[in-house]
Amino acid sequence: MADLSVNFAGIQSPNPFWLASAPPTNSGYQIMKAFDAGWGGAVWKTLGIPVVNVSSRYGAVNYRNSRMVGFNNIELISDRPLSDNLREIEEVKKRFPHHAVIASLMVGPREEWHQIVRDVENAGADGIELNFGCPHGMCERGMGSAVGQEPKVLKTIVEWVKEVSTVPVITKLTPNITDITQPARAAVAGGTDALSLINTIQSLVGVDIDRFVPYPIVDGKSTNGGYCGPAVKPIALNMTKNCAQDPGVKVPISGIGGIENWRDAVEFILLGAGTVQVCTAVMHFGFGIIREMVAGLSGYMDDKGFATIEDFRGKALDHVLTWENLNMKYKVVAEINEEKCIGCQLCYTACEDGAHQAIKLTPGSRVPHIVEENCVGCNLCSLVCPVESCITMERRDDGSEHLTWSERTMAGNVPLTFDDPLAGGLHHSVPSPTEALSTPVPRHYGLSQN
Amino acid sequence: MALYQSPTSESDFERNFQQLKPLMNQTEAHYESARCLFCYDAPCVTACPTSIDIPLFIRQIHADHVAGAAKTIYESNPFGYACGKVCPTEVLCEGACVYNLQQVKPIEIGRLQSYATGAIIHQEQQLFILPPANGMKVAIIGAGPAGLSCACELRMRGFEVVVFEAKDKPSGLTIYGVAPYKITNEEVLDEMTYLEKQFGFQIRYNHRIETREQLAELEQAYEAIFIGIGLGETAPLQIPGEDLENYMGAVEFIEKLRMEHHAVMVPARVVVLGGGNTAMDAASECARMGAESVVLAYRRSPNEMGAYHFEYDLVKGAGVQSLFNAAPVAILGNNGRVTGVKFQKTALENEKLILIPDSDFVVEADWVIRATGQARRTSFLNLIPGLETDAKGRIVWNATTGQTGNPTYFAGGDAANGGKEVVNAAAEGRKAAQHIAQWLLSPS
């Protein structure tokens, strides 16, 4: 049986699943309920300067039959009295001494930072998270992402906190920035013990096309919110990887962004995260999703023979290179399994209209076929195919050759002019433009040639 | 013990004839439409006799453009709502859905189609803008699916259209002949009212065209005439006892049931003769009307039945007993009323059906319903000079253009195809309209 417990920058937790600082951690009531359900830790909804909230506060991106694949909020930090929150932190710690309770903080001047750090430590918080990420509302007042976007300011505030803190300090980063390693390095330079990322992404989640107002609507007007949920996971994974690989970072990372099941968590851990934080999935499905997450992670670790999280943390990092170091001699082409094909022809139209015209219809059959010499091995057909393992990418090189762009550059073997024969597309078969008008399309498309 | 009790009220009737394809609500339509793969050159379109652009209208439903979806449907099939409910989708669009090859439930195309069109009918939304009148007039005989589809298409091309209907309601067999669990009278008539308002054709009800003089008048007053008269009454079997009371044709029984609902008193024991879809409907309907015993008797084996499998499944599900390889040789009676059917067992000999000697047996019954094919209206059709009928009594026509041997006359629907689905009639009516327009506007 795998051991899921973690020591994250000195913070002990029975498992790597934490609730992110957000509405699910607004009160001791919610956090106790979550711990009781099986969550390992919780980052308290950000405490700090007094705020007032508006209604409504949330908007969502629904895609086909899925609700809330993307989620957006304009809620501010905790609007509850600090004293209530401190008392509840104490109560939660008393009842759950081995769970991780992290206080997320956001204030302005140095003295306020010192005071609030002492307050939450006195209440029993196991760690502190600095909210330098909130991209709506708070940033207009010079806090949240306004700090995360200014590495120098960020470093200074981390230093202020470290002047008084006795528990580990986690700096939470905003993704609303060009290079995530810049604020990450600044946080490390300021003395942070760990990083957490990503906070939400500035967004307009959609527009009411009858009222001409984006969502969420506050008395006929809107404002940008912070975007999260499953849709942001790829961005979060990449930024996690960027920080984890950076030699100037080298502190534990708590991964955040679109995590809702054990697989998501494993992916973040493989890219270097030591814990993961979850918000949107809980707002959608409740604390009960932890049952699936713990069981899934534990099962995965047992299957792979990993005794602890550290056994596989960062295991995918060595397999992420810069593009110029990929092997250009590796060659795959698509293959359609005729037995499995159901004849939807989505691969055909995707390749025909969206890629390289390497799939053709077969007269007398609904199963299309691959024109291998046109296939660049892009994967598109296998991605649109609705049947599992029907289109596979088959290797065609024998593995004996290895050549990267960077090796070609060093060897002086790269195209230099616009029409250089060394460029990649020279020998690809591309139909002439007017062939488009004589390629048959279904009658009901109603195009000119019908 | 019968599965159904005799309905004594309209709500009893509705419960016994619960809709097989109930209308979807918005949530169901949203989730179901999400499943459509948007196949390229989609097989569902090919399988639809009216070639509705199904992936497009499903995508429109999903994008919450229900009016657009309804327009896509109506552009190809004016009986869009009715066909969504009454089409044998299992062997047409839904049967062709690629999901079947993956052992995944096919998209419920029929129900999505009725969802989109139903919403527009309910909102009385105007979808089409008619062109100015072109000054030409076309007469249509028969306000069934063929005739009215022809009417809609002609109106879209600027023709004035008058439809002559022998009965007092439009839609032909859609209202008079379809099993009540497939579509309600109200649903049928709502769509017809919508079409009339939308396309502005005139229907003259209770106006049967049956004489040479009437035809001559039409030939005088109209540039072209479309015949969509369907078929006649259920043909007799030519066996003894067919004059008895309580011996009836299936088409006539179904019409009575559709018009009178629970007021029809179906007795305890019914025998239905036949193996086609109409026989299935009649048998299933008698069971749902509370008959204690319904026997479906077919003279050949189950595999040779003309009915669709799912229709036979419905019959079995309603508690009907089946009798195969039994040919009716006489209708038995007492005091002028039916008391039963005398059958003789059959067998196949050299692929020919033969009666086995001395194998007679009797099934007692209070009613006997024959569903053994409808008569042809050849005597009326013979009044049209130049128009010919084939050995099966069908109008001889150019299946592509709908034109008959008399160039002024076009045809479609059961009278021409010998008896198919509503959707076939709708397709033929529309196609004939296109060729009427071509023939009248650019005569070559």
Side-chain angles (χ1 to χ4, degrees), chain A residues 48-53 76-77 106-108 136-144 146-147:
Chain A
I49 59 156
V51 299
V52 179
N53 272 301
L76 303 182
I77 63 174
M106 183 194 288
V107 286
H136 48 87
M138 303 314 295
C139 53
E140 296 170 15
R141 291 155 74 169
M143 285 170 275
V147 175

Side-chain angles (χ1 to χ4, degrees), chain B residues 257-279:
Chain B
L257 182 74
R258 288 223 54 140
M259 293 303 110
E260 299 174 17
H261 286 184
H262 62 276
V264 176
M265 301 305 287
V266 175
R269 299 169 305 173
V270 181
V271 169
V272 177
L273 306 173
N277 290 317
T278 308

Side-chain angles (χ1 to χ4, degrees), chain B residues 95-156:
Chain B
C97 178
V98 296
Y99 273 130
N100 290 300
L101 293 170
Q102 216 181 346
Q103 283 77 52
V104 172
K105 190 168 79 76
I107 304 293
E108 291 195 63
I109 298 167
R111 291 183 66 213
L112 284 168
Q113 184 170 312
S114 298
Y115 166 78
T117 46
I120 294 316
I121 291 169
H122 187 69
Q123 294 160 16
E124 298 183 19
Q125 193 165 339
Q126 184 75 32
L127 291 180
F128 295 94
I129 294 165
L130 299 178
N134 66 15
M136 290 196 234
K137 289 160 70 179
V138 178
I140 291 175
I141 309 177
L148 293 189
S149 295
C150 184
C152 293
E153 185 69 24
L154 287 167
R155 292 292 297 143
M156 278 306 290

Side-chain angles (χ1 to χ4, degrees), chain B residues 79-387:
Chain B
F79 277 59
Y81 181 91
C83 281
K85 296 207 76 179
V86 312
C87 262
T89 52
E90 294 87 338
V91 296
L92 296 174
C93 52
E94 292 174 22
C97 178
V98 296
Y99 273 130
N100 290 300
L101 293 170
Q102 216 181 346
Q103 283 77 52
V104 172
K105 190 168 79 76
I107 304 293
E108 291 195 63
I109 298 167
R111 291 183 66 213
L112 284 168
Q113 184 170 312
S114 298
Y115 166 78
T117 46
I120 294 316
I121 291 169
H122 187 69
Q123 294 160 16
E124 298 183 19
Q125 193 165 339
Q126 184 75 32
L127 291 180
F128 295 94
I129 294 165
L130 299 178
N134 66 15
M136 290 196 234
K137 289 160 70 179
V138 178
I140 291 175
I141 309 177
L148 293 189
S149 295
C150 184
C152 293
E153 185 69 24
L154 287 167
R155 292 292 297 143
M156 278 306 290
R157 289 157 190 269
F159 291 87
E160 192 182 319
V161 176
V162 180
V163 186
F164 298 91
E165 169 56 43
K167 296 192 168 158
D168 64 359
K169 289 184 181 63
S171 86
L173 286 181
T174 320
I175 190 158
Y176 291 115
V178 170
Y181 42 76
K182 290 185 184 160
I183 191 166
T184 68
N185 294 4
E186 196 186 359
E187 288 175 293
V188 175
L189 294 177
D190 282 352
E191 182 167 53
M192 296 305 110
T193 305
Y194 177 72
L195 293 180
E196 255 183 279
K197 279 192 192 156
Q198 187 86 189
F199 295 100
F201 45 81
Q202 302 170 45
I203 307 182
R204 306 220 173 122
Y205 292 108
N206 303 307
H207 199 121
R208 184 183 284 276
I209 303 294
E210 52 193 346
T211 65
R212 178 60 224 157
E213 290 67 37
Q214 286 176 309
L215 288 171
E217 280 170 31
L218 295 184
E219 287 161 10
Q220 274 292 313
Y222 298 90
E223 272 82 9
I225 300 165
F226 177 83
I227 310 171
I229 57 174
L231 299 172
E233 297 183 339
T234 310
L237 293 176
Q238 315 292 1
I239 57 174
E242 289 196 278
D243 53 346
L244 290 163
E245 201 180 316
N246 296 339
Y247 173 70
M248 66 199 81
V251 173
E252 292 71 32
F253 162 68
I254 294 169
E255 179 171 336
K256 186 176 165 68
L257 182 74
R258 288 223 54 140
M259 293 303 110
E260 299 174 17
H261 286 184
H262 62 276
V264 176
M265 301 305 287
V266 175
R269 299 169 305 173
V270 181
V271 169
V272 177
L273 306 173
N277 290 317
T278 308
M280 301 303 134
D281 282 356
S284 165
E285 287 161 16
C286 287
R288 285 163 201 265
M289 287 301 285
E292 278 167 30
S293 142
V294 180
V295 176
L296 177 77
Y298 179 52
R299 59 202 174 99
R300 293 172 179 268
S301 71
N303 297 334
E304 293 164 280
M305 285 201 299
Y308 298 123
H309 284 295
F310 54 87
E311 296 285 6
Y312 182 51
D313 288 343
L314 267 180
V315 164
K316 287 188 286 186
V320 172
Q321 305 296 307
S322 308
L323 191 59
F324 292 104
N325 293 107
V329 290
I331 310 299
L332 307 177
N334 190 11
N335 292 330
R337 287 195 189 144
V338 161
T339 57
V341 185
K342 185 176 178 185
F343 290 98
Q344 207 170 336
K345 289 187 179 167
T346 67
L348 272 187
E349 210 176 77
N350 299 328
E351 296 183 10
K352 242 188 108 181
L353 193 73
I354 56 143
L355 296 176
I356 300 171
D358 303 322
S359 64
D360 299 7
F361 66 99
V362 171
V363 177
E364 292 184 358
D366 308 309
W367 267 18
V368 176
I369 299 174
R370 67 182 188 283
T372 45
Q374 286 170 266
R376 313 291 150 157
R377 297 195 152 141
T378 41
S379 55
F380 168 72
L381 294 171
N382 287 340
L383 299 174
I384 301 164
L387 185 143

Side-chain angles (χ1 to χ4, degrees), chain A residues 43-59:
Chain A
V43 186
W44 212 276
K45 170 113 175 152
T46 304
L47 312 175
I49 59 156
V51 299
V52 179
N53 272 301
V54 293
S55 70
S56 57
R57 303 178 192 176
Y58 304 136

